[in-house]
Amino acid sequence: AVLPILAAQRSVVCKPASGKSERESDATDEGNPVILCGFGRFGHAVGRLLRSRGHGCTVLDHDPDQVELLRTLGVPIFYGDASRSELLTIAGAANAKILIIALKDAETTLKIVENARRHHPHLKIFVRAHSRVEAYEYLKIGEELVYRDTLDSSLRLGADVLRMLGESDEAAERATRLYRERDEIMVREMAKHRDDSQEFYGAAQEAHRTLDELMRSDIEANSAEAAKAG
């Protein structure tokens, strides 16, 4: 007799976005504490980091070509559409602790969040935002662990440019830290006014003024410290 969980697994059929023939999901419960949805350029780095530190991570991806390529390279990965609530269950969501959604498609991401909240409310959800606008949408529905695609690399580049322009390592690091902290506050504040354009743009203008004032104060403090040291 076929176990119920295996029967359910066999019944989950996914249609690849490339238009190829329908294909059954091959996901299974590996008993890992983390489920990672999406193993592209963003999810790959996250998954590799977790696994390299010895943390089990069940990976799901809906791109059949990507799955086959990674399997050829020896990367453990399952094929399946994580927006289907039954697939998360099959992948072990009932006993997992963390769900990472590293997809660039906002509609699919929102479906996964909705299904996870409904069927597996114990999961801590980490969400990738492909853009600032997507971050507003995820924050608006109550997701707090939202990570924007390019923020870290943008700030690292900015810090290196500040150093090239003569600022010290300490000043460059402090500037990027201040920017990050203020920007995270700004994104969350603007998300509250996403549906009111007047309030939204007003919040944006106020946030930019606050950031400029914060940076001016930091520059003045740096100058005062340098004068004392000199």
Side-chain angles (χ1 to χ4, degrees):
V2 178
L3 294 175
I5 188 71
L6 293 179
Q9 179 177 327
R10 291 176 182 176
S11 69
V12 179
V13 179
C14 303
K15 184 178 292 185
S18 61
K20 297 179 181 179
S21 59
E22 291 187 352
R23 169 178 172 176
E24 290 185 358
S25 169
D26 53 16
T28 189
D29 184 354
E30 297 182 303
N32 290 323
V34 179
I35 296 175
L36 170 59
C37 304
F39 209 64
R41 61 185 177 88
F42 191 95
H44 179 266
V46 177
R48 288 277 293 165
L49 174 63
L50 295 177
R51 283 173 169 171
S52 69
R53 298 292 293 179
H55 299 289
C57 181
T58 298
V59 179
L60 303 172
D61 199 286
H62 194 211
D63 183 337
D65 297 327
Q66 175 81 343
V67 170
E68 292 309 318
L69 172 62
L70 290 169
R71 284 177 174 171
T72 300
L73 297 173
V75 178
I77 184 171
F78 293 112
Y79 174 77
D81 180 359
S83 66
R84 296 171 177 263
S85 58
E86 65 269 32
L87 189 60
L88 286 180
T89 300
I90 292 168
N95 296 312
K97 298 178 181 178
I98 295 170
L99 173 65
I100 303 170
I101 309 174
L103 305 174
K104 66 179 180 180
D105 181 73
E107 183 178 353
T108 302
T109 296
L110 289 169
K111 286 181 182 178
I112 297 173
V113 169
E114 180 183 355
N115 286 330
R117 284 179 170 182
R118 179 181 299 134
H119 301 289
H120 308 286
H122 68 285
L123 287 174
K124 201 73 172 177
I125 304 175
F126 291 73
V127 184
R128 167 205 185 179
H130 192 58
S131 68
R132 195 180 190 88
V133 172
E134 284 185 13
Y136 295 146
E137 297 304 316
Y138 302 146
L139 290 166
K140 183 181 172 183
I141 64 171
E143 290 303 315
E144 286 296 323
L145 301 175
V146 177
Y147 297 81
R148 285 173 282 156
D149 250 10
T150 58
L151 182 61
D152 287 325
S153 55
S154 298
L155 292 180
R156 285 204 311 273
L157 186 152
D160 287 342
V161 172
L162 289 177
R163 294 185 184 97
M164 288 291 291
L165 292 172
E167 297 203 26
S168 66
D169 287 345
E170 181 182 354
E173 291 300 325
R174 185 168 61 248
T176 54
R177 176 177 55 79
L178 290 172
Y179 183 97
R180 177 192 292 278
E181 291 172 354
R182 176 49 52 182
D183 193 58
E184 291 290 355
I185 293 172
M186 178 171 68
V187 168
R188 282 159 173 72
E189 185 62 30
M190 292 175 67
K192 298 176 185 177
H193 307 292
R194 191 74 180 95
D195 297 326
D196 186 324
S197 59
Q198 185 173 353
E199 291 287 339
F200 180 81
Y201 289 117
Q205 291 171 351
E206 178 60 29
H208 286 301
R209 281 194 295 270
T210 301
L211 178 62
D212 289 343
E213 291 171 2
L214 185 65
M215 289 299 180
R216 277 197 299 270
S217 296
D218 184 63
I219 292 170
E220 291 171 1
N222 286 344
S223 298
E225 290 177 8
K228 288 181 181 179

